[in-house]
């Protein structure tokens, strides 16, 4: 066994996604190793959000397969066809895939602490006292120990997004997906959210992050995937891709951000 390479934690194989006649993902393939951080970049409409939503089956796919920890997400194979799994099974699969959206989607009627504990208690049926202790520790990690009792409306955008990150972590996911986690934030609160994500990277969390923050991608990403028009144009280390893009499309996109 010692010669075998470890299997990837996330594997995306030839994924096709269409809305009606419109093909949005045109055969996307990439792997993410355990502990790896991959940033997805690319122009608006290139399919980045759609791609990450497919990974936790918020979107159906028409062909290809996505596995997390070796388990196919959303489907089982039957006589060469994909059959969608029942919602209860998909809900179990989603527990190992944390997702943080552009907008924080916190429950407005729950406190910061309540937002973090509700999933583990209601969905995972874990003991409230234990979950609460872990949630307080998570709040400390995202530097919001003093905001446990605040409601979302009493928190800044950056603080709400850090609660959303803590909420996702409370489910003890194997991989975290982020879709432009800072693009809806006031500029002064962007840094505090990126710092939390950088800490997660340093702690070895596997992450797939859609971002337009190239400086952040350079700091945090092991690899960057450049998408355009539903295809992967280029995959590589951030430093190389940003200083010497191999593709004209990557070069044009990087220019457009300057
Ligand atoms: N529910 C939907 N129905 C039809 N088309 C959709 C739907 N959602 C997305 N699309 C289309 O799919 C394409 C890819 O969208 P997607 O949101 O994945 O792009 P993106 O790379 O995340 O863009 P942005 O950088 O603006 O967030 C776009 O052309 C979009 O209009
Ligand atoms: Mg998007």
């Amino acid at each position: 066994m010692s010669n075998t390479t470890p299997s990837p934690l996330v594997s995306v194989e030839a994924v096709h996604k269409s809305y009606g006649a419109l093909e949005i993902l045109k055969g996307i393939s990439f792997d993410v190793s355990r502990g790896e951080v991959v940033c997805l970049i690319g122009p608006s409409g290139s399919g980045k959000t759609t791609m990450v939503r497919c990974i936790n089956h918020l979107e159906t796919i028409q062909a290809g397969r996505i596995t997390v920890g070796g388990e196919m997400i959303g489907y089982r194979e039957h006589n060469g066809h994909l059959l969608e799994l029942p919602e209860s099974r998909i809900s179990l699969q989603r527990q190992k895939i944390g997702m943080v959206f552009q907008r924080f989607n916190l429950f407005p009627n729950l406190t910061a602490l309540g937002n973090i504990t509700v999933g583990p208690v209601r969905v995972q049926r874990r003991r409230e006292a234990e979950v609460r202790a872990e949630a307080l520790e998570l709040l400390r990690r995202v530097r919001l120990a003093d905001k446990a009792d605040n409601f979302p409306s009493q928190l800044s955008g950056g603080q709400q997004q850090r609660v959303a990150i803590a909420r996702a972590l409370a489910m003890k996911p194997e991989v975290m997906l982020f879709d432009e986690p800072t693009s809806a934030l006031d500029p002064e609160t962007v840094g505090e959210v990126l710092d939390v994500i950088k800490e997660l990277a340093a702690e070895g969390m596997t992450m797939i992050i859609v971002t337009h923050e190239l400086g952040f991608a350079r700091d945090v990403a092991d690899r960057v995937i450049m998408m355009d028009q539903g295809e992967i144009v280029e995959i590589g280390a951030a430093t190389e891709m940003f200083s010497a893009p191999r593709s004209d499309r990557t070069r044009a996109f990087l220019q457009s951000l300057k």
Side-chain angles (χ1 to χ4, degrees), residues 18-200:
S18 304
Y19 289 112
L22 191 64
E23 195 173 30
I24 306 297
L25 301 178
K26 302 171 183 169
I28 299 280
S29 300
F30 65 91
D31 285 342
V32 182
S33 306
R34 199 172 286 278
E36 193 180 23
V37 178
V38 168
C39 284
L40 276 182
I41 64 169
S44 182
S46 56
K48 307 179 298 294
T49 293
T50 307
M51 184 63 250
V52 292
R53 287 173 58 85
C54 287
I55 294 174
N56 63 358
H57 201 67
L58 291 172
E59 302 286 349
T60 58
I61 61 176
Q62 278 69 50
R65 69 209 304 268
I66 297 170
T67 62
V68 174
E71 183 180 350
M72 188 160 33
I73 300 300
Y75 301 93
R76 63 190 176 86
E77 245 155 2
H78 183 73
N79 294 339
H81 294 284
L82 295 181
L83 292 183
E84 199 164 13
L85 293 171
E87 194 55 43
S88 58
R89 182 93 200 112
I90 293 169
S91 157
L92 273 176
Q93 294 186 328
R94 285 200 184 113
Q95 291 180 33
K96 58 182 181 180
I97 309 168
M99 174 108 195
V100 175
F101 300 88
Q102 192 169 6
R103 306 228 158 251
F104 336 114
N105 305 104
L106 295 176
F107 300 112
N109 57 327
L110 295 179
T111 62
L113 186 68
N115 267 281
I116 298 169
T117 57
V118 67
V121 169
R122 296 259 179 88
V123 180
Q124 294 180 329
R125 310 242 171 241
R126 295 182 49 216
R127 285 184 43 235
E128 182 132 20
E130 183 187 296
V131 167
R132 194 184 148 85
E134 284 178 12
L136 289 169
E137 170 59 22
L138 283 169
L139 278 169
R140 196 192 56 72
R141 265 171 78 185
V142 299
R143 300 193 189 80
L144 291 173
D146 56 334
K147 302 290 185 192
D149 298 325
N150 284 42
F151 288 90
S153 60
Q154 301 166 324
L155 296 169
S156 73
Q159 291 169 339
Q160 289 182 62
Q161 192 60 304
R162 285 182 283 151
V163 173
I165 293 170
R167 178 177 61 173
L169 292 171
M171 302 292 274
K172 302 185 194 288
E174 292 185 45
V175 55
M176 289 279 285
L177 312 176
F178 294 86
D179 187 8
E180 299 199 39
T182 60
S183 61
L185 299 179
D186 294 330
E188 61 270 26
T189 67
V190 167
E192 66 198 28
V193 172
L194 295 182
D195 285 348
V196 164
I197 300 173
K198 281 181 197 167
E199 273 180 29
L200 289 176

